[in-house]
Amino acid sequence: MVTYQSYGIPRELVERIKLKLKDPDTKDRVKQLLDGVTKADLQDRVKVKSLLSKLTKALHEPVSDALANQIVQMVIDLKLDPNNTFHLIKLWGIFR
């Protein structure tokens, strides 16, 4: 199974973000940023990098360029379809 750690994404970052997403206002901001995102968007490196930039600003979690590239690569490799429930469950499982 693919894990975020295999892409070099630190567990501490994931835990901080999970904690921040428990706040309803923060969660709503993130949902608004991701509203309308398609599978094609998540396969476009430029769009994923742009989304990541917006999300890190909304969450006040700056990431280095190297880490951003690792996150972008993970999203592209997973071939996520945000309209496919199975894909969302798979993603949830990765970050449990």
Side-chain angles (χ1 to χ4, degrees):
M1 178 173 191
V2 175
T3 66
Y4 61 87
Q5 292 164 325
S6 65
Y7 282 89
I9 300 168
R11 181 177 187 83
E12 299 79 26
L13 174 65
V14 172
E15 293 302 322
R16 280 195 315 270
I17 290 172
K18 285 167 60 174
L19 186 62
K20 288 180 180 189
L21 288 175
K22 290 183 180 184
D23 175 50
D25 292 334
T26 302
K27 189 175 182 177
D28 285 341
R29 269 197 316 270
V30 169
K31 279 184 176 181
Q32 288 174 354
L33 285 171
L34 296 175
D35 188 42
V37 172
T38 66
K39 182 178 182 178
D41 293 336
L42 296 179
Q43 287 299 293
D44 182 329
R45 184 172 296 279
V46 174
K47 287 184 182 178
V48 174
K49 189 138 183 153
S50 173
L51 279 170
L52 179 61
S53 175
K54 291 175 186 176
L55 289 169
T56 56
K57 286 177 186 160
L59 294 169
H60 306 290
E61 281 290 342
V63 294
S64 67
D65 285 341
L67 182 55
N69 288 331
Q70 291 166 305
I71 294 169
V72 168
Q73 190 60 51
M74 183 183 86
V75 170
I76 290 171
D77 288 351
L78 290 174
K79 296 182 169 114
L80 296 170
D81 180 355
N83 297 315
N84 183 324
T85 304
F86 177 72
H87 288 205
L88 298 177
I89 291 170
K90 178 176 146 183
L91 186 61
W92 178 76
I94 291 171
F95 289 99
R96 278 179 51 169

